[in-house]
Amino acid sequence: MRIAIVTKGFAQSNNDWSLPPLIDFVRSISGTVDVDIYAMYYPFETRDYHIFGARVLSFGLGRYGRLRKRMGLGTVENRLIAEHQKTPYDLVHAIWADTPGQVAARAAKRLDLPLITTLYAGEAVWIDQIGYGAHKGAMNKGRLSRVLRQSNAVTCGSDSLAKRLGGRDGPTPQTIPFGLDPALFSPTGPAVALKGKTRILTAASLTPVKGLDIILGALRNLADQSPALLDGVHWHLVGPDAYSRGTRNALTQQIGALPVTLHEAQPHWEMPQWYRGADLVVQGSWFESQCFAAMEPAACGTPVIGTSVGILPQMVSQDWRCEPGSVDAMQNLLKTTLENRAGWEGESENQRAWVLGNATLDAAREAFLALYARVAAGHVSVR
C-alpha cells in the first residue's frame, strides 16, 4: 500500500523531534506501507529527502507571508498529483484538518482517491478568551465542513474532540490516539533531582492555550489562603525556550516569591527522567486534541491532574480533573489533591494502565493500518 500524508511539518533530520507523535507514528508504519509526507510549512526549505523510513517532500511555506503561503497550497496539491501519476497512491491522509485537509481533499477529489482526515490541534475550536483555534468565521468553518464531508474517515486523538465534532459533517469521528513508546516512557530509569519535598511538574510551552497563568493563579491563591498546604511544594515548569523570552520574563514577574522554577525546553527523549523526578504532574490547558503532556508522565508512573480536555476525561478519574479556564476550579483541584495524598499511588496505577491499554505506539499503528486497509478497499464511505 502506498499513502500520501499531507501535514504542516515533519522532522528535517534525525535529531529534529519537533513533532514527536507524528515522527513516532510514521516510523511505526513505514515498514508496512510506503509513505510520502507532504510537509507544507516546516522545514523552512524546499527539498525532498528520506528519513524515518519515509520520503519527505518539504515545501517550506512557513518562510513566506500570508499571500505566498496561500499560493503555495496549489504547489503542494499539484506535486501530489504529479507523484501519483508516476507511482499511484492508494489513499491520502490529511493530518491537520485545516490547510493540510484542504490540500489533501482537493488532490484526492481530482485523483478520485479516498481521503482520511485526522484532527490534530485546534482546527474545530475557537476560544475567544485567548484567541485560540481555527474555527472562527464562516469561511474557516465552511472549509472544515467541506473537508470533513469529503472524507471517507475522520479520526481524533480523544473522545472529547470526537464528541465535539459529533459527525454533523461527514463520517462519525473515530477515536484513534497517536501512541507513545512504553519502553521509553516507563517508571524504570534515571530521574532528575528536582527541588522540593513535593515536586509538581508541568511540561508546556508558554502559549496561552496551555493555561499556565491559570495554574499560577491557583498556586498564588493557595499560598494566600492555605499556606500550610504548600509547605515543601515546588512547581517546576519545563518548556520555555529562547523564542519565548518576553513571555518568560512576564511570567517570572508574576511568579514573585512563589516556589516555582522555570526550566528550558528539554529534548523529547530526556523527558521521561523529568517525569520520574516529579511526584505530581499538573496540566492546565484550555484545550487539547489529545495531550501527550499527560499521557507521557502517566506512562512513567507519575499521576496527573488537570483540566477536562483531550484524553484526560478518559485517562484521569473525575475528582482528579476540573473545568478549563478557571483559576478557582484549578485551585480547588490542587487543594483537594494535596490534602488527599493517600490516593496518589492508586490513581497513578490506573492512569498508567489506561495508557498501556489504549495509547501505545503499537495500538496506534495497528488501528491506523486497519483503517487504511478498510478505506482503501472501499469499506468506509462518505456519508
Side-chain angles (χ1 to χ4, degrees):
M1 182 179 293
R2 182 166 152 78
I3 296 169
I5 293 179
V6 185
T7 185
K8 291 189 175 182
F10 199 69
Q12 62 179 335
S13 70
N14 289 325
N15 296 322
D16 179 4
W17 283 78
S18 51
L19 291 166
L22 184 53
I23 291 171
D24 279 340
F25 170 65
V26 169
R27 291 178 68 180
S28 72
I29 67 170
S30 60
T32 305
V33 296
D34 291 331
V35 181
D36 279 355
I37 298 170
Y38 291 78
M40 296 173 57
Y41 300 104
Y42 180 84
F44 302 126
E45 57 184 337
T46 303
R47 67 183 177 105
D48 296 356
Y49 57 99
H50 289 82
I51 191 171
F52 301 130
R55 183 175 68 144
V56 180
L57 299 83
S58 170
F59 296 86
L61 299 182
R63 296 169 291 178
Y64 307 126
R66 181 178 300 180
L67 179 59
R68 190 163 178 185
K69 282 179 182 176
R70 189 175 301 172
M71 293 173 61
L73 302 185
T75 303
V76 181
E77 177 185 342
N78 290 334
R79 180 70 190 276
L80 194 157
I81 290 169
E83 292 299 324
H84 173 79
Q85 290 170 345
K86 295 176 186 175
T87 308
Y89 295 115
D90 294 286
L91 60 87
V92 181
H93 184 180
I95 298 180
W96 269 288
D98 45 12
T99 48
Q102 181 182 347
V103 169
R106 289 198 309 231
K109 185 174 183 178
R110 289 173 64 184
L111 296 171
D112 195 26
L113 287 175
L115 171 67
I116 296 173
T117 299
T118 293
L119 282 87
Y120 195 80
E123 307 98 298
V125 301
W126 173 253
I127 303 173
D128 195 58
Q129 298 96 314
I130 57 172
Y132 174 82
H135 204 236
K136 180 185 180 183
M139 183 176 294
N140 288 335
K141 292 178 180 179
R143 286 172 179 165
L144 177 62
S145 178
R146 287 191 294 273
V147 168
L148 296 179
R149 287 200 306 268
Q150 187 183 321
S151 300
N152 298 71
V154 175
T155 77
C156 301
S158 62
D159 286 347
S160 62
L161 182 53
K163 289 175 183 176
R164 180 185 288 268
L165 289 177
R168 289 170 294 182
D169 294 307
T172 300
Q174 304 175 50
T175 299
I176 306 179
F178 284 108
L180 54 73
D181 181 356
L184 176 62
F185 292 94
S186 77
T188 304
V192 173
L194 297 175
K195 186 177 181 180
K197 293 181 180 179
T198 301
R199 301 151 300 177
I200 298 177
L201 184 141
T202 300
S205 68
L206 297 185
T207 55
V209 72
K210 299 303 180 182
L212 298 180
D213 57 332
I214 302 292
I215 301 174
L216 184 57
L219 284 171
R220 186 183 294 110
N221 289 350
L222 279 179
D224 292 340
Q225 301 169 20
S226 307
L229 268 182
L230 292 186
D231 184 29
V233 172
H234 200 100
W235 182 39
H236 295 267
L237 170 58
V238 180
D241 54 41
Y243 299 103
S244 57
R245 192 176 306 278
T247 308
R248 176 179 178 143
N249 290 340
L251 183 64
T252 301
Q253 291 178 2
Q254 295 177 50
I255 288 171
L258 287 174
V260 179
T261 300
L262 304 185
H263 303 274
E264 298 290 341
Q266 303 296 314
H268 183 248
W269 56 86
E270 292 185 5
M271 284 306 300
Q273 59 187 321
W274 287 82
Y275 294 135
R276 295 186 201 110
D279 301 297
L280 181 71
V281 165
V282 180
Q283 178 280 120
S285 296
W286 289 76
F287 171 81
E288 295 283 349
S289 60
Q290 182 168 330
C291 197
F292 272 78
M295 287 168 43
E296 291 170 353
C300 290
T302 302
V304 179
I305 63 171
T307 50
S308 293
V309 298
I311 51 84
L312 269 79
Q314 298 163 253
M315 187 187 84
V316 175
S317 298
Q318 186 169 357
D319 55 354
W320 278 63
R321 47 190 169 87
C322 66
E323 63 180 286
S326 170
V327 172
D328 289 343
M330 180 59 70
Q331 178 185 343
N332 290 335
L333 177 60
L334 282 166
K335 184 175 184 292
T336 301
T337 305
L338 291 170
E339 287 174 340
N340 297 279
R341 302 188 187 204
W344 290 19
E345 183 177 352
E347 178 67 18
S348 172
E349 292 173 354
N350 291 338
Q351 291 180 11
R352 184 165 189 269
W354 185 90
V355 173
L356 296 182
N358 298 275
T360 63
L361 199 53
D362 285 346
R365 175 184 179 275
E366 294 307 313
F368 272 107
L369 288 178
L371 180 62
Y372 287 165
R374 293 198 304 273
V375 170
H379 295 157
V380 180
S381 301
V382 175
R383 195 178 61 180

